[in-house]
Amino acid sequence: MRLDVLTIFPEYLEPLRHALLGKAIEQGILSVGVHDLRRWATDVHKSVDDTPYGGGPGMVMKPGVWGPALDDVAAGTASGEDLTSSLPHVDKPRHDELAGVDKQAYGGGEDSDLPLLIVPTPAGKPFTQEDAQAWSNEEHIVFACGRYEGIDQRVVDDAAQRYRVREVSIGDYVLIGGEVAVLVIAEAIVRLIPGVLGNRRSHEEDSFSDGLLEGPSYTKPRSWRGLDVPEVLFSGNHAKVDRWRRDQALLRTQAVRPELLADVELSTADRKVLGLD
Ligand code: SAM
């Protein structure tokens, strides 16, 4: 997968070189280009924003800068160095890689030669795990990081000629700029690319994959500060452990995000645990 990020703060994207993403870069699964938007600014001050038509506070990012930048990135003519991995990781296999489960892609990718342009904005459609799964099959994703009051809307409208454009929000709050949203979205997508986590099961059981929040997890020691790991996890009975995990996921979802249960198919046993029957 190829990621390109357009931003006025390239250094904000440094975390994309670390941990699993850095490892994916090193393995050749991922390449990342981070481009300073000011390279496309034409005035002496390299300005990228101007006052809003119709008045109001704040500044709006200029179409005359964003348009050529997005054209160049779509055409592959935006020069610059790709991010390098922060550390050598390749020789250190993870626990779930050692499990030796086949690397398999999720379905749901869109069928088009155009790259995907993701424009983070609080006014966008909420970003979900389902989007992350579908987009983990993409070959080329471009991110446009807004600042100030955002980007002139015509940039997004015009980009639809060269991209499949998605305006997405990472939550109902307002950040200062799109860079942090890009880190969130890129991390959620890249971890689902086959080979990045190694074992597909490790994300198939994550929160949201089956519509529920994941229940609690435990590791050694068995007893810590007077708190014991639930007995069932030592039973060796996989069916019993699976049932317990399902119950915990149901109860946590009911307590924290009850609205999610409306989209989950509940068995008789599930309904009983939730006290619905
Ligand atoms: N005036 C915009 C509005 O009210 O919808 C807010 C602009 S915000 C200060 C500046 C930039 O931060 C946005 O262009 C976007 O890139 C990013 N941003 C802020 N909140 C976000 C969110 N919840 N999800 C995704 N991106 C966000």
Side-chain angles (χ1 to χ4, degrees):
M1 177 184 285
R2 168 79 188 172
L3 301 181
D4 282 292
V5 187
L6 278 155
T7 169
I8 58 168
F9 292 113
E11 58 278 19
Y12 244 92
L13 282 307
E14 160 79 9
L16 292 178
R17 304 174 53 223
H18 294 269
L20 276 180
L21 277 76
K23 184 173 171 184
I25 290 173
E26 205 170 282
Q27 289 174 321
I29 296 173
L30 178 70
S31 69
V32 184
V34 179
H35 311 276
D36 187 346
L37 182 70
R38 289 193 198 277
R39 277 184 36 215
W40 285 272
T42 48
D43 64 347
V44 282
H45 302 295
K46 296 277 172 204
S47 66
V48 295
D49 59 318
D50 210 332
T51 52
Y53 275 130
M59 302 291 270
V60 176
M61 296 188 97
K62 300 203 278 196
V65 179
W66 269 108
L70 286 170
D71 293 348
D72 285 348
V73 171
T77 53
S79 56
E81 289 199 3
D82 287 356
L83 289 189
T84 53
S85 177
S86 67
L87 287 169
H89 299 86
V90 164
D91 295 337
K92 292 184 239 157
R94 282 168 50 102
H95 152 76
D96 48 12
E97 284 170 335
L98 296 171
V101 175
D102 279 352
K103 293 167 184 169
Q104 252 183 302
Y106 279 95
E110 296 171 55
D111 198 13
S112 164
D113 289 342
L114 295 181
L116 186 70
L117 174 64
I118 298 180
V119 184
T121 162
K125 203 172 147 275
F127 174 63
T128 64
Q129 184 69 9
E130 215 176 311
D131 294 326
Q133 283 181 0
W135 297 342
S136 67
N137 294 297
E138 293 286 337
E139 276 177 27
H140 187 193
I141 303 179
V142 178
F143 293 97
C145 299
R147 283 265 153 182
Y148 317 116
E149 290 308 313
I151 305 172
D152 186 307
Q153 189 61 39
R154 292 168 295 177
V155 172
V156 177
D157 299 343
D158 173 70
Q161 296 178 46
R162 283 165 296 282
Y163 293 93
R164 285 165 295 136
V165 184
R166 302 289 178 270
E167 292 179 273
V168 293
S169 165
I170 62 159
D172 291 346
Y173 39 77
V174 180
L175 303 166
I176 302 171
E179 290 75 9
V180 172
V182 168
L183 293 178
V184 169
I185 297 168
E187 192 163 309
I189 293 172
V190 171
R191 71 189 285 279
L192 298 178
I193 300 173
V196 171
L197 275 189
N199 180 353
R200 180 173 162 169
R201 257 197 79 192
S202 52
H203 35 78
E204 279 183 345
E205 291 172 7
D206 282 338
S207 295
F208 306 114
S209 300
D210 59 359
L212 298 173
L213 305 182
E214 193 178 64
S217 307
Y218 300 92
T219 185
K220 298 173 193 79
R222 191 168 173 152
S223 186
W224 180 77
R225 295 191 175 176
L227 299 167
D228 294 333
V229 174
E231 255 333 288
V232 62
L233 297 177
F234 305 102
S235 67
N237 181 331
H238 294 303
K240 244 176 143 178
V241 171
D242 286 349
R243 183 66 247 175
W244 180 84
R245 288 197 168 131
R246 173 88 180 168
D247 293 351
Q248 296 301 310
L250 287 163
L251 291 169
R252 180 175 275 183
T253 306
Q254 186 181 47
V256 180
R257 298 284 305 277
E259 77 282 5
L260 294 179
L261 289 175
D263 294 324
V264 178
E265 208 174 308
L266 299 173
S267 67
T268 311
D270 293 341
R271 295 183 64 80
K272 200 166 157 211
V273 172
L274 292 169
L276 299 176
D277 282 334

